[in-house]
């Protein structure tokens, strides 16, 4: 047997441990390759998003490469630690340290090269599907299939360098150990884990404090609190796994009735050792998962809210604000309406006639625009909100923002109680604030609604302005009309369309979601792989322990129950912590949206949970099968 064949057989023999690592690495290579294929696609050059696509994909490639480097480095270190006993045996049989280093280097490079080949192959197989998905998310014409030579070269060279560097680093890990240390490996007797009461309390205080700050953050404090909250929660999470969880298990042990019930003594007594040994990896999985959940949920949430944001900000499908004293208003309106009629698109038109007025008594809030009540109530009827009723000398203020926390100007004006218009000496009493905005932000503000009779008295005493809005139920289908008007040089005045801004934002959101989703999935798979490594790294010890337990009368059902509970605790606690972190991290986003964000976030988290449960069931099945085969 040659040295190369020996290395290859070693990989085959340890396939249970290496499989998750190999699949995770191959998946990272596949995503890196597909992003590169998209970045180098010749038809992307012809899209308006070419710069955004290239910059976004390049940033994603860098993130994937750095994360893959850390993932592979950590994984290889874990494998070497799990195989210490095996390496010690090789050295007793006469293998030199140089040969052992060469063996490890060769094993790592074989797995690395196989991961590169498998990743590029899988990426090539699914490339057409990937391009269809990308084109749909970016709302562009479909991208044709092509042979991505540049992407293959970039991916191959990048990951070959990555695996070569890490293989060289890992040689240093084994050289510092002596044979006796290698043989002892993980069989060294362990002291019973004990938790520090102070650090356990600190963990609880840090986590609760971080959650409290995140929950109570508002628009003024959010920016200032982001970094401190992340730091506090991260440190709290570390102490949760290294101290508080051990402390909690100690409390369970003191509850003798629960501790001695059935097989509880078996999994509880062992759990403290497992958590103590794996505190770092459980902490790592929690943080990586929280980053993945938060990123994907944020991007999905933002994408799902773009339509609502467009409707809230622009209100109307078409917003037309003519220039003052424009003679072409009717001509422009007919042009716009004829285009809608040609496409058989039904619409409702609203109009605001605003008169500029000045305050006679104070310089504060010196100028306003006023509109008549009948036009306001017509708009309220079209937009389906409450109409205003008021006496002849009363007036209402139209808000410039739907968010009540941003209506400080209107509330200050309301506290003035009354206004005397300079041009007409008419006094009106301010009685309240309207329900919603009726013109896009920045137009005609502050806007005051007065009775029609008062409006007719001042109609010719101030500068007159007009605004026209078109309410269309299927406004997403009006993009072509909006572009025609926008490109019409004879169409004077300000023209804003809901569809144009919506599609621009949707394309950028689609690109970000596309990149963020796959990076989030890489993080998620890597986190699951970390747990997989740990379970299989400890498998040899677990085999001996459970074989001894079966000799003293433990049944297979009791063994399965004990193993399942212990695995479930270790497997799901990091994800429960990550879910809680994500929920509090996303809470401040509610301030940005008028609709509830709970349902979109739950959809993302439940999606991850379903995948995680399936992953757990597969892992549990293989793990118990492996245990029972050894026990016999």
């Amino acid at each position: 047997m040659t040295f190369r064949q020996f290395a290859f057989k070693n990989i085959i023999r340890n396939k249970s441990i290496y499989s998750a690592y190999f699949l995770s690495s191959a998946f990272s290579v596949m995503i890196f390759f597909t992003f590169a294929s998209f970045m180098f696609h010749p038809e992307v050059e012809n899209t308006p998003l070419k710069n955004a696509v290239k910059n976004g994909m390049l940033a994603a490639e860098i993130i994937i490469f750095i994360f893959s480097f850390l993932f592979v480095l950590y994984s290889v270190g874990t494998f070497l630690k799990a195989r210490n006993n095996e390496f010690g045996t090789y050295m007793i049989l006469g293998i030199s340290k140089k040969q052992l280093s060469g063996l490890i280097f060769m094993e790592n490079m074989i797995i690395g090269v196989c991961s590169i080949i498998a990743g590029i192959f899988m990426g090539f197989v699914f490339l057409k599907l990937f391009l269809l998905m990308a084109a749909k998310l970016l709302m562009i014409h479909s991208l044709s299939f092509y042979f991505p030579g540049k992407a293959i070269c970039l991916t191959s060279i990048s990951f070959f360098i990555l695996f070569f560097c890490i293989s060289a680093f890992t040689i240093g890990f084994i050289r510092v150990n002596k044979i006796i240390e290698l043989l002892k490996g993980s069989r060294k007797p362990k002291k019973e884990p004990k938790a520090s009461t102070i650090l356990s309390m600190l963990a609880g205080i840090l986590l609760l404090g971080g959650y409290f700050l995140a929950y109570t953050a508002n628009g003024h404090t959010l920016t200032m609190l982001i970094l401190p909250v992340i730091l506090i929660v991260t440190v709290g999470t570390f102490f949760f796994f290294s101290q508080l969880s051990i402390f909690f298990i100690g409390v369970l042990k003191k509850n003798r009735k629960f501790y001695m019930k059935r097989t509880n003594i078996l999994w509880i007594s062992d759990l403290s050792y497992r958590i103590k040994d794996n505190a770092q990896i459980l902490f790592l999985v929690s943080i990586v998962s929280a980053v993945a959940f938060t990123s994907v949920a944020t991007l999905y949430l933002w994408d799902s809210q773009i339509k609502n944001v467009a409707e809230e900000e622009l209100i109307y499908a078409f917003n037309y604000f003519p220039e003052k004293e424009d003679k072409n208003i009717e001509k422009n309106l007919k042009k716009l309406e004829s285009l809608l009629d040609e496409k058989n698109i039904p619409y409702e038109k609203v109009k605001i006639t605003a008169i500029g007025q000045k305050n006679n008594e104070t310089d504060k809030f010196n100028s306003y625009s006023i509109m008549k009540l009948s036009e306001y109530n017509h708009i309220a009827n079209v937009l389906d909100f409450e109409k205003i009723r008021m006496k002849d000398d009363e007036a209402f203020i139209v808000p410039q923002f739907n968010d009540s926390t941003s209506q400080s100007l209107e509330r200050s004006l309301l506290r003035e109680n009354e206004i005397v218009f300079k041009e007409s000496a008419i006094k009106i009493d301010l009685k309240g604030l309207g329900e919603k905005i009726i013109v896009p932000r920045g137009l005609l503000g502050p806007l005051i609604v007065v009775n029609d009779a008062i409006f007719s008295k001042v109609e010719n005493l101030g500068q007159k302005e007009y605004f026209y809005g078109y309410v269309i139920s299927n406004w997403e289908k009006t993009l072509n009309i909006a572009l025609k008007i926008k490109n019409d040089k004879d169409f004077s005045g300000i023209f804003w369309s809901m569809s144009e801004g919506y599609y621009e934002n949707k394309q950028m959101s689609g690109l970000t979601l596309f990149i963020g989703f796959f990076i989030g999935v890489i993080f998620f798979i890597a986190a699951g792989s970390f747990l997989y490594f740990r379970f299989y790294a400890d498998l040899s010890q677990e085999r001996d322990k459970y074989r001894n337990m079966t000799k003293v009368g433990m049944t297979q059902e009791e063994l399965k129950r004990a193993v399942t509970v212990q695995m479930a605790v270790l497997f799901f606690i990091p994800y429960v912590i990550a879910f809680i972190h994500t929920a509090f991290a996303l809470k401040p986003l509610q301030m940005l949206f008028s609709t509830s964000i709970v349902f979109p976030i739950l959809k993302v988290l439940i999606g991850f949970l379903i995948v995680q449960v399936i992953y757990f069931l597969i892992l549990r099945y293989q793990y118990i099968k492996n245990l029972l085969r050894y026990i016999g």
Side-chain angles (χ1 to χ4, degrees):
M1 182 185 296
T2 64
F3 201 66
R4 188 180 306 162
Q5 289 172 327
F6 183 58
F8 193 75
K9 284 188 177 293
N10 265 345
I11 295 171
I12 299 296
R13 190 161 44 82
N14 291 296
K15 61 180 181 298
S16 297
I17 296 177
Y18 280 124
S19 57
Y21 164 64
F22 170 75
L23 291 175
S24 298
S25 300
F27 186 78
S28 298
V29 172
M30 184 184 81
I31 299 300
F32 187 96
F33 167 74
T34 47
F35 279 1
S37 301
F38 190 46
M39 184 169 65
F40 291 125
H41 198 291
E43 293 173 20
V44 170
E45 287 288 337
N46 302 322
T47 67
L49 289 173
K50 63 178 182 182
N51 290 329
V53 168
K54 289 196 171 184
N55 292 336
M57 291 298 164
L58 183 61
E61 298 284 56
I62 293 171
I63 292 172
I64 293 172
F65 188 80
I66 293 173
F67 182 77
S68 298
F69 186 90
L70 297 174
F71 168 74
V72 173
L73 185 65
Y74 187 90
S75 303
V76 171
T78 303
F79 297 149
L80 293 182
K81 191 176 177 183
R83 295 176 62 192
N84 274 346
N85 190 273
E86 179 185 338
F87 296 150
T89 305
Y90 291 157
M91 295 183 76
I92 287 177
L93 292 175
I95 192 171
S96 67
K97 284 188 177 180
K98 184 178 179 181
Q99 289 174 315
L100 182 60
S101 299
L103 178 68
I104 294 168
F105 181 85
M106 192 171 292
E107 286 182 19
N108 289 334
M109 286 307 297
I110 290 173
I111 295 174
V113 171
C114 290
S115 300
I116 293 170
I117 295 171
I120 291 176
F121 176 75
M122 287 192 295
F124 194 75
V125 169
F126 292 108
L127 184 58
K128 182 60 183 175
L129 180 64
F130 175 87
L131 293 174
L132 286 173
M133 194 189 310
K136 186 174 182 181
L137 277 172
L138 299 182
M139 304 173 87
I140 58 178
H141 296 297
S142 60
L143 300 168
S144 59
F145 185 79
Y146 80 113
F147 183 78
K150 290 181 181 176
I152 291 174
C153 290
L154 178 66
T155 308
S156 304
I157 294 171
S158 300
F159 275 87
F160 186 84
I161 293 172
L162 185 150
F163 284 111
F164 183 86
C165 291
I166 290 177
S167 300
F169 288 155
T170 51
I171 292 172
F173 294 168
I174 201 73
R175 277 183 172 173
V176 297
N177 293 319
K178 296 178 181 178
I179 295 176
I180 188 67
E181 292 174 342
L182 294 174
L183 285 172
K184 283 181 179 177
S186 56
R187 294 173 184 265
K188 296 174 187 175
K190 300 174 183 175
K191 294 180 182 178
E192 183 180 1
K194 293 192 181 298
S196 162
T197 305
I198 294 175
L199 292 178
S200 299
M201 291 174 61
L202 180 63
I205 292 169
L206 288 173
L207 287 176
L208 293 176
Y211 293 156
F212 176 77
L213 290 176
Y215 187 81
T216 56
N218 55 42
H220 302 293
T221 60
L222 181 59
T223 308
M224 187 174 60
L225 287 176
I226 287 178
L227 285 178
V229 168
I230 291 174
L231 182 64
I232 289 171
V233 172
T234 302
V235 175
T237 305
F238 178 77
F239 285 126
F240 172 83
F241 286 110
S242 63
Q243 301 295 330
L244 185 58
S245 56
I246 308 297
F247 179 84
F248 181 71
I249 291 171
V251 172
L252 283 182
K253 285 182 176 178
K254 289 178 183 175
N255 184 343
R256 303 301 293 177
K257 187 176 179 181
F258 177 77
Y259 186 54
M260 301 302 291
K261 187 178 179 182
R262 295 184 177 177
T263 57
N264 287 354
I265 186 173
L266 184 61
W267 66 264
I268 291 175
S269 60
D270 194 43
L271 194 58
S272 58
Y273 291 94
R274 301 288 297 270
I275 289 182
K276 188 73 177 178
D277 289 347
N278 300 311
Q280 289 183 357
I281 203 162
L282 295 174
F283 160 74
L284 192 63
V285 170
S286 296
I287 298 300
V288 169
S289 301
V291 171
F293 298 160
T294 305
S295 304
V296 175
T298 302
L299 295 173
Y300 176 74
L301 185 63
W302 181 255
D303 188 71
S304 65
Q305 296 288 327
I306 285 178
K307 186 177 179 181
N308 292 337
V309 170
E311 290 176 344
E312 285 180 7
E313 289 192 348
L314 287 183
I315 310 167
Y316 309 100
F318 295 142
N319 296 266
Y320 176 42
F321 189 65
E323 295 173 355
K324 290 174 184 175
E325 300 179 0
D326 191 342
K327 304 295 183 187
N328 296 317
I329 295 177
E330 290 302 321
K331 180 183 171 186
N332 289 336
L333 291 174
K334 283 183 180 176
K335 188 180 292 182
L336 178 57
E337 290 167 12
S338 65
L339 288 172
L340 288 169
D341 292 337
E342 282 176 15
K343 298 290 181 183
N344 293 321
I345 297 177
Y347 61 86
E348 286 190 84
K349 182 170 72 175
V350 301
K351 176 186 176 184
I352 295 176
T353 307
I355 307 295
Q357 292 286 293
K358 290 187 177 178
N359 195 342
N360 193 37
E361 297 189 343
T362 174
D363 289 336
K364 194 175 180 183
F365 310 117
N366 192 37
S367 59
Y368 317 93
S369 293
I370 63 171
M371 66 176 291
K372 53 187 173 184
L373 179 63
S374 57
E375 286 187 346
Y376 180 89
N377 281 339
H378 173 64
I379 293 172
N381 184 51
V382 171
L383 297 181
D384 196 24
F385 59 84
E386 193 174 348
K387 296 178 182 178
I388 291 176
R389 296 180 188 279
M390 59 188 184
K391 297 176 183 175
D392 289 349
D393 59 345
E394 292 179 345
F396 271 73
I397 305 169
V398 178
Q400 298 183 75
F401 300 91
N402 287 327
D403 178 15
S404 60
T405 59
S406 304
Q407 296 173 349
S408 56
L409 176 65
E410 290 88 338
R411 295 190 185 283
S412 299
L413 185 58
L414 201 58
R415 284 194 290 272
E416 299 289 315
N417 289 327
E418 64 178 35
I419 293 175
V420 179
F421 294 134
K422 186 176 180 179
E423 291 82 353
S424 59
I426 294 175
K427 186 178 78 173
I428 56 171
D429 296 328
L430 296 172
K431 286 299 179 182
L433 194 60
E435 187 179 344
K436 291 183 178 179
I437 62 173
I438 60 171
V439 290
R441 193 180 307 163
L443 296 181
L444 302 176
L447 186 60
I448 296 174
V449 182
V450 298
N451 194 284
D452 284 20
I454 291 180
F455 185 86
S456 63
K457 291 179 183 177
V458 301
E459 189 172 5
N460 298 317
L461 299 178
Q463 181 72 49
K464 193 176 287 186
E465 293 181 284
Y466 298 99
F467 171 82
Y468 298 88
Y470 287 79
V471 178
I472 300 171
S473 56
N474 294 321
W475 55 264
E476 297 100 317
K477 298 178 179 176
T478 61
L479 179 62
N480 290 334
I481 295 175
L483 293 176
K484 278 184 182 176
I485 296 293
K486 196 82 182 252
N487 296 324
D488 187 343
K489 293 180 180 176
D490 295 330
F491 196 96
S492 54
I494 298 173
F495 177 78
W496 292 337
S497 70
M498 202 181 281
S499 56
E500 194 180 6
Y502 167 75
Y503 279 103
E504 286 176 0
N505 289 331
K506 195 73 179 170
Q507 282 184 318
M508 288 307 299
S509 170
L511 175 64
T512 313
L513 179 63
F514 184 67
I515 295 171
F517 174 77
F518 282 105
I519 292 180
V521 171
I522 289 175
F523 281 25
F524 181 66
I525 289 177
S529 299
F530 287 147
L531 288 173
Y532 184 94
F533 302 155
R534 288 311 312 171
F535 280 120
Y536 274 89
D538 297 337
L539 184 60
S540 60
Q541 294 179 63
E542 296 299 297
R543 284 169 174 169
D544 295 338
K545 183 183 74 180
Y546 284 109
R547 185 169 62 177
N548 292 334
M549 295 302 296
T550 53
K551 285 180 180 176
V552 295
M554 186 181 194
T555 65
Q556 282 197 4
E557 289 306 313
E558 289 172 332
L559 181 150
K560 289 179 182 176
R561 192 183 307 125
V563 170
T564 301
V565 172
Q566 192 178 73
M567 286 183 71
V569 170
L570 287 170
F571 201 84
F572 285 109
I573 278 185
Y575 292 104
V576 171
I577 296 294
F579 282 148
I580 297 172
H581 287 356
T582 303
F584 281 97
L586 296 176
K587 167 66 178 60
L589 286 180
Q590 181 63 77
M591 292 184 291
L592 302 176
F593 305 107
S594 58
T595 57
S596 173
I597 64 172
V598 174
F599 186 64
I601 292 174
L602 276 180
K603 279 171 69 178
V604 173
L605 294 183
I606 289 173
F608 276 113
L609 180 63
I610 291 172
V611 175
Q612 198 60 31
V613 169
I614 294 171
Y615 193 14
F616 169 75
L617 292 176
I618 294 172
L619 178 59
R620 173 193 169 277
Y621 170 76
Q622 291 183 338
Y623 190 83
I624 290 179
K625 181 182 172 185
N626 211 316
L627 267 181
L628 294 178
R629 188 168 54 198
Y630 180 77
I631 292 170

